[in-house]
Amino acid sequence: MEAKGETQWSSIIVPSVQEMVEEKVITTVPPRYVQPDQDKSGVTDDSGLIPNIPIIDMKRLCSSVAKDSGSELETHDLFNLPMEEKKKLWQQPDEMEGFGQAFVLSEDQKLDWADIFFFTMQPAQLRKPHLFPKLPLPFRDTLEMYSAQVKSIAKILIAKMGEALEIKPEEIEERFGDDMFQSMRMNYYPPCPEPNQVIGLTPHSDAVALTILLQVNDVEGLQIKKDGKWVFVKPLPNAFIVNVGDVLEIITNEIYKSIEHRVVVNSEKERLSFATFHNPGLNKEISPAKSLVEKQKKRAKFKRLITKDYLKGLFSRELYGKAYLDAMRI
């Protein structure tokens, strides 16, 4: 039975890349992970990009900012749990939450070179009882604190972005109130013997409002698409990476553009990251802000959809590019 407000989706259970790498001495990539058709052309370094990436001092926007809660070390510890312990937290049939991979809908679908741990964090009543309560207690406490702090940052940033576009504050608050939907995904990208044959994370834009990403270690791998070229984004100490997602592109009627990104891997070092996603409450509407559309004197460019229906549509399809956002266009 589907719980009230709960979102269900279909997925295929897949094996652990980390386990495969650690237990076997492999020199070639298994066929299901080979994706040689990934666009490797136009890759450049970030030397010309860094001055153009805005760096925001959150102390100027709010009196309290996220403090170091130790989540970097504990994220690493989670992926280092014995496999028998991980299996207790593995994705169940027709669910995406838990250890595994995301957006896998068929047995012959190509796989990313990564393991993830994905779960709903807020509202608390939507947490899966077989997942969050089973995490080690110190880590649960860390996540509670981290969740609240990052949610506060997201609300401030979204409010300031709305204010810059002169969207009525009540339209933002209605969508991103106390029932804001927050989910988390921890990512582990093992070293690969043939890194040019695989992709760590398929190119896509985040189908959320705002993503706040913590790069757990200092290993490069994240790339964003700028002017048709893939550009590395180097980890910056004591900083989050904030991605505008598809939902904010919809709400701002295409003024703020969601950013397409991907992850590449290397042959020597593992990479870990921790993404926190923020969306309107599950029963709230995703649509262009009325006050903005009226101010623009233009038509709304996207359909109107309740968040839970938007998510059902998202998780019923493979992840690639900005295809889901395009499907939302009028």
Side-chain angles (χ1 to χ4, degrees), residues 4-236:
K4 184 178 181 181
E6 186 175 286
T7 301
Q8 294 188 346
W9 41 70
S10 298
S11 64
I12 302 295
I13 297 176
V14 297
S16 166
V17 182
Q18 182 181 6
E19 182 183 29
M20 177 176 62
V21 171
E22 292 179 351
E23 292 191 354
K24 301 176 183 177
V25 179
I26 60 173
T27 57
T28 59
V29 174
R32 197 172 177 193
Y33 296 90
V34 174
Q35 300 191 57
D37 56 342
Q38 290 289 337
D39 177 21
K40 300 297 193 298
S41 64
V43 176
T44 183
D45 63 25
D46 57 2
S47 58
L49 180 65
I50 286 297
N52 296 321
I53 297 181
I55 300 176
I56 300 172
D57 183 355
M58 288 300 296
K59 291 179 181 178
R60 293 173 178 264
L61 293 180
C62 59
S63 59
S64 61
V65 296
K67 303 176 178 64
D68 182 5
S69 56
S71 62
E72 294 98 334
L73 179 60
E74 289 179 281
T75 299
H76 199 283
D77 290 344
L78 183 69
F79 283 102
N80 283 339
L81 286 173
M83 184 50 62
E84 58 267 23
E85 293 299 315
K86 284 186 183 177
K87 290 297 183 185
K88 298 175 183 177
L89 303 171
W90 214 259
Q91 291 170 335
Q92 297 183 355
D94 296 327
E95 287 192 5
M96 189 178 288
E97 298 196 35
F99 276 111
Q101 286 205 17
F103 301 96
V104 181
L105 304 177
S106 68
E107 296 288 354
D108 58 355
Q109 183 178 333
K110 292 292 187 178
L111 299 177
D112 292 342
W113 192 262
D115 285 351
I116 69 165
F117 183 69
F118 176 76
F119 58 100
T120 296
M121 191 65 189
Q122 299 291 348
Q125 65 267 26
L126 296 182
R127 296 173 187 171
K128 299 291 184 182
H130 66 281
L131 284 180
F132 190 80
K134 303 297 175 61
L135 293 174
L137 185 58
F139 193 30
R140 273 184 280 154
D141 291 340
T142 299
L143 288 174
E144 291 280 14
M145 178 173 63
Y146 183 76
S147 166
Q149 292 177 338
V150 174
K151 179 180 176 181
S152 176
I153 291 174
K155 292 185 72 170
I156 291 169
L157 290 175
I158 292 170
K160 292 295 183 182
M161 294 169 79
E163 182 180 320
L165 298 183
E166 298 181 4
I167 297 174
K168 289 182 178 179
E170 56 266 29
E171 288 189 78
I172 297 296
E173 181 59 31
E174 166 64 20
R175 292 172 169 87
F176 300 100
D178 292 338
D179 62 345
M180 177 191 287
F181 186 72
Q182 182 193 66
S183 56
M184 294 180 166
R185 190 182 71 210
M186 302 172 203
N187 309 293
Y188 179 88
Y189 305 98
C192 179
E194 298 178 297
N196 288 332
Q197 294 295 309
V198 304
I199 192 74
L201 182 61
T202 298
H204 69 288
S205 56
D206 291 337
V208 301
L210 206 68
T211 301
I212 296 181
L213 178 73
L214 175 67
Q215 303 214 68
V216 175
N217 56 5
D218 59 358
V219 178
E220 290 185 19
L222 176 64
Q223 296 179 338
I224 64 172
K225 202 166 196 178
K226 180 175 173 61
D227 300 328
K229 294 183 178 182
W230 288 107
V231 182
F232 276 102
V233 180
K234 290 184 178 180
L236 185 65

